Amino acid sequence: LSNFESVNTPFQIPPTEFMESPIVQIACGATHTAALSASSELYTWGEGRDGRLGHEESNHPGLRGTSKNGDCTSAPAVVVTAVMRWGDPNFDRGTWIKVAAVGCFSDFCFAVSAAGELFTWGNGAHGRLGHRGDANLRTARAIGTCVGQTGSPKPFTETVERFACGARHALLLTTSGMVYAWGDGSDGQLGFHVLESAEYPQEVVTLRGEVVVAIAAGAAHSAALTVAGDVFTWGKGQDGQLGHGDFANQ
């Protein structure tokens, strides 16, 4: 709409010169929006604080619309840096990555590439971006490290099928049916048997042997669905959200 006014009825977003392909997927965070085109281009707009738009700089030349507080854009802008292998020493700056899926959360974003890599950017509080530490990222970075069975970091080489995010933690599901978790684990939402946080993705070993086909995350609890139709839940249970017949964290 190229302005910052509220609208109480549906209004079509005018096409821009950057949107050359039909939009096939959309996602919304607390104050930002993303759209994925049929040609795998990713567009974001809204509040840019903490890097959640993935534009690297608020004055990126691809942005259109009026700037608000130097950190917002009111019209769709292609996420140039968020669909590149940014900072990877094995790739030149500007290597394009085709995006297959995108998700917006409160103040951060995840995207899966066509090759099955998981990219994250935005507010990194509680380590939920999976890159060690709480730093915010203004450009997308691929998850490149996980925790192995020995507890030591190792290269992450799995192909990502889908992802899910809670308020302070995140999950990913691989094409082989494995589930990894990271971020805040203070309520058991990571499924590690201990109330510890994780800086890198770590396998939820309790689910090893199960073929998981879907995952979901609440604010501080998690769930997994297997190919056999079994549902597993873990994490915060004070409101009965785990479905275990009690109100305990598990």
Side-chain angles (χ1 to χ4, degrees), residues 9 17 19 26 31 57 61 90 171 200 202 209 215 222 238:
T9 57
E17 62 267 31
M19 285 186 170
I26 54 175
T31 56
E57 300 294 342
N90 298 317
L171 308 172
Y200 297 119
Q202 183 172 336
I215 53 176
S222 304
Q238 71 174 23

Side-chain angles (χ1 to χ4, degrees), residues 95-172:
T95 301
W96 285 92
I97 296 296
K98 289 187 175 181
V99 178
V102 62
C104 292
F105 305 96
S106 58
D107 48 10
F108 61 104
C109 291
F110 280 20
V112 174
S113 73
E117 295 174 294
L118 178 61
F119 289 78
T120 67
W121 66 96
N123 190 311
H126 312 289
R128 58 194 174 188
L129 297 185
H131 301 296
R132 189 176 186 180
D134 297 337
N136 299 342
L137 292 177
R138 297 193 70 92
T139 56
R141 182 182 300 173
I143 295 290
T145 304
C146 66
V147 175
Q149 295 183 20
T150 62
S152 300
K154 69 173 187 177
F156 180 74
T157 57
E158 296 286 341
T159 302
V160 178
E161 175 75 18
R162 60 186 66 190
F163 53 81
C165 292
R168 299 180 176 184
H169 75 294
L171 308 172
L172 69 79

Side-chain angles (χ1 to χ4, degrees), residues 16-103:
T16 75
E17 62 267 31
F18 299 104
M19 285 186 170
E20 298 179 352
S21 300
I23 298 301
V24 295
Q25 185 183 345
I26 54 175
C28 293
T31 56
H32 66 298
T33 307
L36 179 63
S37 75
S39 57
S40 299
E41 288 185 320
L42 180 60
Y43 300 84
T44 61
W45 61 95
E47 182 182 1
R49 186 173 53 178
D50 302 324
R52 69 196 72 179
L53 297 184
H55 296 157
E56 183 182 20
E57 300 294 342
S58 59
N59 61 350
H60 191 282
L63 300 184
R64 297 180 68 249
T66 305
S67 177
K68 179 182 181 182
N69 298 327
D71 236 358
C72 299
T73 175
S74 61
V78 65
V79 184
V80 176
T81 54
V83 289
M84 296 182 183
R85 274 184 172 275
W86 196 262
D88 189 328
N90 298 317
F91 286 77
D92 294 331
R93 177 170 174 159
T95 301
W96 285 92
I97 296 296
K98 289 187 175 181
V99 178
V102 62

